[in-house]
Amino acid sequence: MFFFGWLILHSIDPGNLEESGKWSWNYLVVGMGFSFFFLTIPLQLYYSYTSERSLDGMYPDLPKILQSHSGRELFKAHLAQEFSVENFLFWQYATMWKNKYKKGSKKTAVNYSRIFYTFLESGCTLQINVSHAIQQRVGKHLERLNNSAVPNDALDECVEEVIGLMSQSLSRFYRSDLYEQYRKHVVGHSENLNHSI
């Protein structure tokens, strides 16, 4: 952009300033460059830093959204719009599996294998995006199902990665109509609680 401005002014030379030796258009280009690098960029960095810090307390974090029924459903709808609902579904089933875990139970083992074949097996319909190493570790528990019980923390690494993936969608969720619905529901719910007290 600076180059084109310099090229135009240098070729036109309005008022014959450069030809008469009163002014060089190179100074203008250099001055514009300095102002950009020493004024514009630091100001942009400052404003982006302060705006991020001021928004920290404005929006609820992912665990708070996932605690309420309406938050879960609206965030799930948002993830469906982004074609990543499998992350939510995995989180939901893995959390239910852990909450209902019974060591050595046949039902626990069956549900573990369902979760693996639905979300973690290579090429499955709802495959989540976790590292291959984690996928292999979870698969090893499946191979040992006949000999030993699946540990209670077998899916914890996967859940952590999936929560990280879902957190990446939060900023887009905050700008969506679904978040406005969530906010209205939460505000309305808290007003109803205040009136009942």
Side-chain angles (χ1 to χ4, degrees):
M1 186 166 157
F2 298 125
F3 175 74
F4 291 117
W6 171 81
L7 186 63
I8 291 169
L9 290 173
H10 187 68
S11 60
I12 297 174
D13 192 20
N16 294 327
L17 293 175
E18 191 166 13
E19 189 176 307
S20 64
K22 295 178 182 175
W23 178 262
S24 174
W25 295 111
N26 295 338
Y27 296 131
L28 181 66
V29 172
V30 171
M32 289 170 52
F34 275 118
S35 68
F36 179 75
F37 286 110
F38 293 109
L39 285 174
T40 308
I41 292 176
L43 284 173
Q44 284 293 334
L45 291 173
Y46 171 75
Y47 287 127
S48 67
Y49 175 74
T50 56
S51 66
E52 284 176 13
R53 293 194 68 199
S54 65
L55 294 178
D56 280 348
M58 282 181 66
Y59 296 109
D61 57 353
L62 185 60
K64 186 171 182 177
I65 290 171
L66 295 176
Q67 283 175 357
S68 74
H69 176 72
S70 64
R72 282 191 304 273
E73 292 304 312
L74 291 168
F75 189 64
K76 178 180 170 183
H78 170 73
L79 290 174
Q81 290 174 351
E82 290 196 337
F83 303 106
S84 61
V85 73
E86 67 277 357
N87 294 323
F88 178 86
L89 294 172
F90 171 78
W91 168 82
Q92 188 176 32
Y93 288 119
T95 304
M96 286 185 339
W97 177 81
K98 187 164 184 151
N99 291 339
K100 294 179 180 181
Y101 178 85
K102 290 181 185 163
K103 188 172 183 172
S105 164
K106 180 78 172 162
K107 190 172 183 177
T108 298
V110 167
N111 287 336
Y112 182 82
S113 64
R114 281 185 187 152
I115 289 171
F116 179 82
Y117 290 121
T118 304
F119 298 103
L120 292 159
E121 184 181 38
S122 293
C124 64
T125 308
L126 294 172
Q127 185 174 359
I128 57 174
N129 188 17
V130 294
S131 71
H132 183 69
I134 290 176
Q135 194 177 17
Q136 296 239 314
R137 280 193 290 276
V138 172
K140 284 185 182 179
H141 292 300
L142 193 63
E143 292 170 5
R144 296 185 297 211
L145 263 180
N146 294 335
N147 302 332
S148 63
V150 177
N152 188 26
D153 61 351
L155 295 173
D156 287 355
E157 275 185 297
C158 290
V159 169
E160 285 178 31
E161 265 195 56
V162 165
I163 286 175
L165 292 170
M166 290 192 301
S167 294
Q168 293 173 6
S169 296
L170 268 181
S171 63
R172 293 182 297 277
F173 177 63
Y174 294 147
R175 294 187 301 262
S176 71
D177 293 335
L178 293 169
Y179 177 71
E180 287 303 314
Q181 290 177 25
Y182 167 74
R183 204 170 59 79
K184 287 176 185 173
H185 182 272
V186 169
V187 169
H189 184 67
S190 64
E191 285 176 0
N192 289 341
L193 287 176
N194 291 338
H195 291 301
S196 64
I197 293 177

